[in-house]
Amino acid sequence: MSRMIFQQLGIILLSILFLATLYLSIWIGALIFGFVLIWIIFGIFSIRYSPFIRSVCKLSGLKREIVISFDDGPFPNTIKVLDALKKNNAKACFFLTGKQVEKYPEIAKRIAQEGHLIGNHTYSHKVKSLFCGSAGYQNEIEKTNEIIYRVTGIECKYFRFPFGVTQPINAYVVKQKRLVSMGWSIRSLDTLSKDNSAVIRRIQKKWRPGYILLLHDQLPQTIDILEGLFEYTVKNKIKCVIPNL
């Protein structure tokens, strides 16, 4: 199946080049070919604009709500994240990797018990998993679903692509598994910035009703970011909710 998808993409690109060259000119054909190729590459690395799968990056119909999501856990630091959420009566989405759930099953159980949404984030979350083919990617998803269900009793309905990369083979597998792909509207860049106040300002500047915020629960600075975020949400009467799609 993975080979077939790439063959289809190749045929489409070559067809565009041939038709444009035949009816227009070789330069215009090359220009159109390049544009389509850039569009495909951009779509692979931009989950909001992927041509291969529709991802939920914003919730409609909300007035003063935001969705907080955490990737890659659970980790020991997730306990502090859960404490902060509980203290502020906030719900969040946790996209868990299978290997981390195996390491910290009790934390995964607590996430479920406290009413947070749990989603599938593949088993290994490794770069090589992006290119492991349809069978390998399906195994990453199915293995994680089984682990999460065994530990928490939750059947995952939501999926987040590692690194936000939605290449066509993996997008096809997610569709076949009938999972809802969830992206984000606000990328906090918490893994890159060492200035917590800058991260908080970035979130405040970009916030809109129904936007989905991306954070990472393994980072020690996440707690400080959450404290600043909750000060802002309380002051502005913004609720932290989870989707029900």
Side-chain angles (χ1 to χ4, degrees), residues 74-143:
F75 293 90
N77 194 62
T78 307
I79 295 173
K80 295 180 181 179
V81 170
L82 290 169
D83 290 341
L85 291 169
K86 188 174 183 179
K87 177 182 176 182
N88 291 275
N89 194 30
K91 299 300 180 186
C93 304
F94 288 83
F95 288 90
L96 308 181
T97 61
K99 65 177 183 180
Q100 291 301 118
V101 176
E102 286 181 327
K103 285 183 180 179
Y104 306 106
E106 293 304 316
I107 300 176
K109 285 181 184 177
R110 180 180 169 185
I111 294 173
Q113 289 168 353
E114 296 187 359
H116 302 290
L117 182 146
I118 291 179
N120 187 318
H121 201 38
T122 71
Y123 178 80
S124 63
H125 195 280
K126 291 183 178 179
V127 173
K128 68 178 183 180
S129 70
L130 303 178
F131 310 99
C132 62
S134 58
Y137 208 71
Q138 181 172 319
N139 181 62
E140 286 266 335
I141 292 173
E142 290 179 347
K143 188 175 181 180

Side-chain angles (χ1 to χ4, degrees), residues 36-53:
V36 173
L37 185 60
I38 291 171
W39 173 69
I40 289 174
I41 294 173
F42 176 76
I44 288 174
F45 293 99
S46 177
I47 194 167
R48 293 180 68 180
Y49 303 106
S50 173
F52 309 114
I53 190 170

Side-chain angles (χ1 to χ4, degrees), residues 206-237:
K206 290 181 173 291
W207 177 83
R208 299 292 184 279
Y211 270 23
I212 300 172
L213 168 64
L214 171 63
L215 293 168
H216 295 81
D217 51 338
Q218 75 268 38
L219 305 174
Q221 63 265 34
T222 298
I223 307 305
D224 291 334
I225 293 170
L226 281 176
E227 288 180 359
L229 177 60
F230 287 136
E231 285 180 11
Y232 177 77
T233 57
V234 170
K235 181 179 178 181
N236 292 276
K237 298 180 180 180

